[in-house]
Amino acid sequence: MNGEERVEQDIQKKNALGSTIPGLITSVAFKGSNGEVLGIIEDFKDISKRVEIEEALKRTEQQFSLFMDNIPVGVFIKDENGKMLYINKYVKRSVLSDKSIGKLPKELFSEKYANRIIKEDHKVIAGEILALEEELPDFSGNLNSFLTHKFRFRNADNQWQIGGVMVDITNKKKTELQLKILSNAIQHSPTCVIITNLKGEIEFVNQSFTQITEYSASDVIGKEISILRSEELSKSIYQDIMDIVITGVDWQGEFQNIKKNGEKYWELASISPVKNEKGEITHFVFISEDITKRKHNEKELILAKEKAEEADRLKSAFLSNLSHEIRTPMNAIIGFSNLLLDEELAFDERVKLNNLINENGFSLLKIIDDVIDISKIQSGNFEIKKSDCQVNKLIADLYSEFNSRIEADDHKDIRLSVNKGVRRKGFTISTDARRLKQVLYNLIENAVKFTSKGFVEFGYSIIEKNTIQFYVIDSGIGIAHEKFEHIYDLFRQADESFT
C-alpha cells in the first residue's frame, strides 16, 4: 500500500440489481507484532446520497453563475478589507476584468476613484447602506455613470463582506442632460409653448406664455385651453381646428385670443400632436407667437399706402418748387467736375475742387430736404410733435457743430458765441425739438455762410413769463432794405448771383 496504513478511494460497483452505485472503499493494512503486513482489511461505503447532494450543489452553482452573468445589472462581492472576491460578466464588460479578483481598490483604480471607493467601503462595513450615483472609467478611460447600491452581509464563516449591485446609467444621464437642455430652451424660448392632454387640459406652459397672457402656470394648469379663446374665435371653429390635429396633422394659422386682463391679442400658432412609441396621440403642443404688433403694423402700412397715393397727387406741386436753388450747386458740381479733367491741374487745386464738389453736394441734399419740408407744409401734411426739450443742451450741440466747422475752414475768421437766457442746466420747454433745431440750424448756417470775418452770436432770452425769444445775429453782409419783402419768398436770395 505504498507505505500508507490507510487508503481511501472512490470506486463504483454494481449491486445485486445490476445498477452502478458510487462508493468509498477504505483499505487498512493488518500487521503482525513485528510490523509485517499480514493482510488488508477493506470497507466499502455507499456514498450515493453524498454524490447526489454534490451534483445538485454543482448544478445550483452553475445555475447561479449563469443567472448572475445574464442579469442586466452588475454584481460584485468584496471582503471586509475591500479586496475583490467576485464580479459578474456585467461588471467585466463595463469596468473590471477577471484579473481584478483578489485586488484592492488602489490596485484597480487611480487614486481619485480608489480613495472615494475606500471611504464608501468603510461606511458599508460600519453598517450603512449606500445608494449613490458614481462615475468610473472603462477600459478605454472613458467615464461611465453608474447607480450603485452597497451593503454588508455575513458569509458562511460569519465574516462581514461587502455586496454591491450597479446599473450603467450613462445613456440615462445623457438623455437627462438633453432633456434638461431642451426644457431650458423651451422655458426661455421667446415663443409661447403650451402642452395639453387629449382633453385639452393644460399640463405645461413656459415663461413666454406668462409674459404674453399674464396668466401664471398655477392659473391655468389643469384647465382647458379654451380659457384663452376670445369671442371672435367661435367654439365651432376651435373644435374644427382640434378635429384636424386629432387626425395627426399639424395645423398652422392666425387667431385672436384673450389675456387675463381681458385684452385681446393676435397669435400666429402651430398645433402639433405628440405620439407615443405605439403611434398613439397622447398630447398636443401649441407653439405661438404674439403678432399683435405685426397686425398693427400691417394696418399702418395700408394707411401709409393710402397717404402715399395722396402724396402722388402732390407730386406736381413738389416738382414746381425745384428752382435755381438746386441748379446752383448742381452747376458748381458739373463745372468743377469738368475742371478736374484737366491733367495739368495741380494736386492742391484738385483737392480744392473736390472739396467744393462735396460742399455743393451736401448743400444740394440739404436744399432737397428743405424743399420736401416746404412741400409738406403746402400740402397740409407737416406735423409739429411737442415734447420736453432741453434748451441749453440744444444750444450747446449747435455751438459744438458750427464751431468745429468754422475752425476747419481756413477762409473763416469768425468768433462764435452763445447767450443762454436761463443758466439752469436742465431748463426745459415744450416744443418740437427737431423742428426748433432745424430752424436755428438754418439761420446759423446762413449767418456763417455770409460772414467771412467778424462774429456770429445766437441764443435766447425770456421776454415775458411764458415767452422765449430765439435769435441769431452776425456781422456779415446783411440784407438790403429793398430785399426785405422777399425774405419769405420761396427759393429767393438777397443776392441772386450768389452760389
Side-chain angles (χ1 to χ4, degrees), residues 22-257:
L24 177 66
I25 185 169
T26 303
S27 302
V28 179
F30 177 67
K31 298 180 180 180
S33 57
N34 295 325
E36 70 277 14
V37 177
L38 301 178
I40 297 174
I41 301 175
E42 291 184 342
D43 176 56
F44 179 80
K45 184 178 180 181
D46 186 347
I47 59 171
S48 299
K49 294 294 183 182
R50 192 188 77 180
V51 170
E52 288 178 4
I53 293 172
E54 288 176 350
E55 289 179 350
L57 180 61
K58 186 177 181 181
R59 287 193 301 271
T60 301
E61 289 177 348
Q62 289 175 342
Q63 290 175 349
F64 174 79
S65 179
L66 287 172
F67 172 77
M68 296 300 288
D69 284 339
N70 285 280
I71 58 175
V73 295
V75 178
F76 59 86
I77 299 174
K78 297 192 263 187
D79 66 15
E80 59 184 349
N81 296 317
K83 185 182 293 184
M84 193 65 70
L85 301 178
Y86 169 81
I87 55 175
N88 69 347
K89 282 187 178 181
Y90 188 97
V91 179
K92 294 176 186 178
R93 289 194 302 266
S94 308
V95 184
L96 303 174
S97 66
D98 288 323
K99 297 179 180 179
S100 304
I101 302 301
K103 293 184 178 180
L104 295 168
K106 288 188 176 181
E107 299 175 281
L108 299 174
F109 300 101
S110 65
E111 184 177 359
K112 172 184 175 181
Y113 300 104
N115 289 339
R116 188 196 74 208
I117 293 171
I118 291 171
K119 289 180 182 179
E120 293 169 0
D121 289 349
H122 287 165
K123 291 180 180 180
V124 173
I125 289 298
E128 289 190 41
I129 298 176
L130 300 183
L132 48 92
E133 290 185 4
E134 59 180 351
E135 287 186 332
L136 292 172
D138 60 17
F139 303 111
S140 302
N142 299 318
L143 286 180
N144 291 323
S145 299
F146 295 91
L147 176 60
T148 304
H149 292 262
K150 292 184 179 182
F151 52 90
R152 69 175 184 176
F153 67 96
R154 291 190 181 276
N155 64 6
D157 298 325
N158 204 34
Q159 299 294 316
W160 285 118
Q161 290 186 335
I162 300 171
V165 178
M166 58 194 300
V167 179
D168 190 337
I169 58 171
T170 305
N171 291 333
K172 176 176 174 288
K173 296 292 285 186
K174 289 179 180 178
T175 302
E176 287 177 350
L177 178 60
Q178 291 174 348
L179 288 174
K180 185 177 181 180
I181 293 172
L182 179 61
S183 175
N184 189 58
I186 292 174
Q187 280 288 5
H188 295 87
S189 171
T191 57
C192 173
V193 179
I194 307 172
I195 300 177
T196 74
N197 58 23
L198 290 179
K199 297 178 181 178
E201 297 169 341
I202 299 174
E203 295 186 358
F204 170 85
V205 294
N206 68 344
Q207 294 177 8
S208 291
F209 170 85
T210 299
Q211 293 171 358
I212 294 172
T213 67
E214 300 180 4
Y215 282 106
S216 66
S218 59
D219 288 335
V220 297
I221 297 297
K223 296 182 179 179
E224 291 188 7
I225 195 170
S226 58
I227 190 176
L228 303 173
R229 181 172 55 83
S230 66
E231 60 270 18
E232 279 79 5
L233 184 64
S234 67
K235 189 172 183 180
S236 61
I237 295 176
Y238 188 82
Q239 188 59 50
D240 289 343
I241 294 173
M242 298 311 299
D243 288 343
I244 293 173
V245 180
I246 199 69
T247 63
V249 179
D250 293 352
W251 181 89
Q252 290 184 338
E254 297 177 1
F255 52 74
Q256 197 174 47
N257 274 341

Side-chain angles (χ1 to χ4, degrees), residues 31 96 109 124 131 172 224 303 338 355 366 372 392 404 423 434 439:
K31 298 180 180 180
L96 303 174
F109 300 101
V124 173
K172 176 176 174 288
E224 291 188 7
L303 293 175
N338 289 331
N355 291 337
K366 185 177 180 302
I372 291 174
N392 289 338
S404 298
R423 295 296 178 182
R434 175 171 174 265
V439 170

Side-chain angles (χ1 to χ4, degrees), residues 305-316 318 381:
K305 179 177 177 292
E306 293 175 353
K307 287 184 178 181
E309 292 172 349
E310 175 66 16
D312 188 58
R313 186 180 60 83
L314 304 173
K315 184 188 300 182
S316 58
F318 169 75
N381 292 326

